[in-house]
Amino acid sequence: MAHIVCITSGLTSMFNASLALVKQLERAGHRITYASPADLKERVTVQGIAYVQLDPYVIQLEEPPMGWWEKLRTLRSRQQHAIEALGVQNFVQTMQELTPDLLLIHNEMHPHIMAAVTAQFPVALLCTFLSVWRRPNLPPIHTHIVPGEGWRGQWMGIQWTWLRYSWQKWKEFQRDRAQRVGLDRISVLRCYARQIGHPFRARFGFTQWLVPYPHGSLPILCLNALEIDFPHDPHPLMHYVGPMVWAERQEPQVDQSTYKILEQLFENRRSNGASDRALIYCSCSTFVKGDQRRLKKIIEAVAECPEWDLVLGLGGQLTPEQLGPLPSNVYAFSWAPQFQILKQADCAVVDAGSSAVRECIYAGVPMLIYSRGHDDQNGNQTRVVYHGLGIAGDRAQDSAAQIRNYMQTLLTDRSYQTRINHMRERFQRYTHENQAVQVVEALLSQQQGQVKSALENPSKVLGKTLVDVKGGVQ
């Protein structure tokens, strides 16, 4: 039995996926401790998982207005203040007290990763993005490009898109560097790396979609399925361990009255025959405030169909009162137990976040999907349509009538249900074959081999990273 510490920033997509991962590892007999700079204690301990609170984490510190000369004169003190705001002063000591056999860290928590690697902890990274490495015939995840379609989908077009993305990122960092004079993300991370002796290398996207990304030798556990991506040869460090969905997760942020209303709704559907009514679920992002104008169109679309029921989960960013009077067949909640609703739903209207897409597929629910254009959402939406798992809507242009037509298509065209059931079977195969456990235990086995080698040969320095571990989809 190994002691594994899972560390995430608190973002909902990563949090929910990591819970499913650590529960799989627990069932395999490993001891788990969860840690985060966000206040996740209640949400973690209610799942029966040990929790450690880390110091708050601010990646880019805001500062009062000051002139360029003043920024330059106070550069060192300003950078030191920014480094202290990263919340890693006590991180290494906390990890040493936990004595982990492996740290699993959210791959965007750069200061914590650098601190862990420098302290020679065994580290692997956690990622919810499907495709982060630049690979042949694979477009960047933020685009709508489909390999083989149009000139942008050809080899030259894909390469041009990668180069253009890298150039744009480089320009953004240079502009930020000039404006913030030492307090841009790259400068702060580089300064912190120098302090702890970490060989930081700022990469501007020529081999990786995430920039900066100074962790090129660390293995990544992608908490998703390779099959939902475009066909490609994965990077050797990218291990797809399956779409992490834990159906039994407890959600303390959901009010008990919400569960009662939903249970009554589900019971009425069971007693009256669910085949006579359709249940549609609509979710909002927990990261940004929902678009009230779009939500009202969705409500209007369902109001015209009394044989449909609509459940709205507002992601904690809106209240039902802000939507005004609701039709009798529409139910809105500030927080909703998403996966429990999806298990009852016939179709779903979702943003194109990776968490919503994973859970819809895992529950076997076709999607009407609306990308916000944020991070990987364009790419997620395009992949859903490519595999025939749903319909892509136009957030700006779709009317209530158009939304209603899309819903009607998803509810009546059985080809969508057939394809999503097929993808669901592929998703569930990861769990049945314990892919996540196999990859993690391979990492642990390699670490044990490194320790044994170091003991047998004291002149050989123990490696700081775990690399070249084979796992993922066979």
Side-chain angles (χ1 to χ4, degrees):
M1 180 180 74
H3 181 202
I4 300 169
V5 177
C6 180
I7 304 166
T8 73
S9 63
L11 289 176
T12 299
S13 177
M14 173 59 75
F15 175 71
N16 287 340
S18 65
L19 284 183
L21 173 64
V22 299
K23 279 298 177 180
Q24 285 192 27
L25 295 172
E26 273 192 341
R27 287 195 294 270
H30 300 290
R31 181 164 67 94
I32 305 295
T33 299
Y34 204 102
S36 177
D39 184 7
L40 300 178
K41 182 176 181 180
E42 181 182 11
R43 296 174 66 185
V44 172
T45 55
V46 74
Q47 325 291 341
I49 302 168
Y51 180 76
V52 171
Q53 185 65 54
L54 301 179
D55 294 333
Y57 166 47
V58 179
I59 186 58
Q60 193 156 352
L61 191 66
E62 295 298 327
E63 58 182 351
M66 65 178 72
W68 186 87
W69 174 250
E70 182 66 14
K71 289 181 179 180
L72 189 61
R73 188 182 67 82
T74 59
L75 176 61
R76 289 189 178 181
S77 61
R78 291 167 57 246
Q79 284 188 333
Q80 187 57 41
H81 185 43
I83 289 171
E84 291 170 359
L86 296 176
V88 285
Q89 293 91 334
N90 303 311
F91 175 71
V92 170
Q93 181 180 345
T94 300
M95 293 302 106
Q96 288 172 340
E97 292 170 356
L98 292 173
T99 61
D101 297 295
L102 178 64
L103 297 182
L104 300 177
I105 309 179
H106 183 181
N107 67 334
E108 295 185 82
M109 298 179 69
H110 305 304
H112 299 79
I113 297 168
M114 291 191 293
V117 169
T118 304
Q120 298 192 357
F121 288 107
V123 176
L125 307 183
L126 302 178
C127 175
T128 56
F129 297 121
L130 268 174
S131 309
V132 295
W133 290 100
R134 182 177 176 180
R135 305 297 292 164
N137 204 40
L138 188 66
I141 190 70
H142 69 285
T143 70
H144 285 297
I145 297 174
V146 177
E149 292 188 4
W151 78 267
R152 295 183 69 196
Q154 306 307 313
W155 181 88
M156 185 63 73
I158 291 174
Q159 299 307 308
W160 166 251
T161 303
W162 273 106
L163 288 172
R164 184 169 179 266
Y165 174 70
S166 301
W167 171 244
Q168 288 174 337
K169 281 295 181 180
W170 185 85
K171 287 196 301 182
E172 287 175 12
F173 286 132
Q174 296 307 312
R175 183 175 62 247
D176 199 29
R177 183 182 183 185
Q179 291 174 348
R180 297 182 62 85
V181 190
L183 246 63
D184 59 281
R185 269 198 310 161
I186 297 291
S187 295
V188 171
L189 290 173
R190 184 183 287 118
C191 186
Y192 174 65
R194 283 198 302 267
Q195 287 190 7
I196 64 174
H198 180 83
F200 180 88
R201 290 179 297 172
R203 299 185 177 185
F204 295 101
F206 291 101
T207 59
Q208 240 268 359
W209 180 72
L210 289 171
V211 285
Y213 190 79
H215 321 298
S217 61
L218 292 172
I220 302 175
L221 274 63
C222 180
L223 309 184
N224 217 321
L226 177 61
E227 288 87 346
I228 192 63
D229 206 344
F230 297 126
H232 72 283
D233 180 26
H235 191 280
L237 293 174
M238 196 76 169
H239 307 291
Y240 292 83
V241 299
M244 292 294 125
V245 177
W246 184 31
E248 290 78 33
R249 68 172 181 258
Q250 301 297 311
E251 303 190 69
Q253 71 272 33
V254 179
D255 192 85
Q256 287 303 310
S257 63
T258 299
Y259 285 109
K260 292 179 181 178
I261 295 171
L262 289 173
E263 183 54 40
Q264 185 62 53
L265 173 63
F266 299 156
E267 179 59 34
N268 290 341
R269 285 169 52 79
R270 286 191 292 268
S271 61
N272 295 330
S275 60
D276 296 333
R277 299 188 65 80
L279 179 62
I280 301 167
Y281 173 63
C282 175
S283 71
C284 293
S285 170
T286 61
F287 188 66
V288 293
K289 189 175 182 179
D291 182 348
Q292 293 186 49
R293 182 169 170 268
R294 184 178 70 94
L295 289 174
K296 288 179 179 180
K297 288 182 182 179
I298 294 170
I299 292 169
E300 182 184 345
V302 174
E304 296 295 322
C305 298
E307 70 278 13
W308 295 353
D309 290 313
L310 172 67
V311 176
L312 286 167
L314 301 176
Q317 302 289 334
L318 290 170
T319 64
E321 291 73 23
Q322 290 176 277
L323 300 177
L326 299 175
S328 60
N329 61 337
V330 175
Y331 305 81
F333 308 99
S334 291
W335 287 100
Q338 177 165 288
F339 195 72
Q340 292 186 29
I341 300 170
L342 284 173
K343 288 190 292 185
Q344 304 287 334
D346 299 293
C347 74
V349 184
V350 296
D351 290 336
S354 62
S355 179
V357 171
R358 283 197 312 270
E359 296 197 357
C360 282
I361 296 173
Y362 209 86
V365 180
M367 291 162 270
L368 171 54
I369 187 165
Y370 286 94
S371 171
R372 287 179 171 272
H374 180 70
D375 285 343
D376 60 336
Q377 290 197 8
N378 287 344
N380 292 337
Q381 181 188 67
T382 302
R383 285 157 173 79
V384 165
V385 175
Y386 174 82
H387 290 290
L389 310 176
I391 298 171
D394 187 319
R395 180 177 291 273
Q397 300 296 326
D398 285 355
S399 64
Q402 182 63 70
I403 293 171
R404 187 183 309 116
N405 289 338
Y406 286 148
M407 292 175 175
Q408 185 68 47
T409 299
L410 292 174
L411 292 171
T412 57
D413 186 341
R414 300 307 298 173
S415 65
Y416 288 101
Q417 191 65 60
T418 299
R419 286 190 290 266
I420 208 154
N421 286 342
H422 184 53
M423 186 64 73
R424 181 188 187 186
E425 292 174 0
R426 296 182 181 182
F427 272 32
Q428 291 175 338
R429 192 182 307 160
Y430 284 87
T431 303
H432 298 329
E433 296 178 357
N434 278 327
Q435 284 283 358
V437 174
Q438 290 183 41
V439 172
V440 169
E441 290 184 346
L443 294 172
L444 290 165
S445 177
Q446 184 190 28
Q447 175 63 14
Q448 292 170 357
Q450 289 176 338
V451 171
K452 181 179 179 181
S453 176
L455 291 174
E456 293 174 349
N457 185 6
S459 63
K460 188 175 182 180
V461 178
L462 178 64
K464 294 182 181 180
T465 62
L466 301 170
V467 295
D468 298 328
V469 177
K470 301 298 180 184
V473 180
Q474 301 296 322

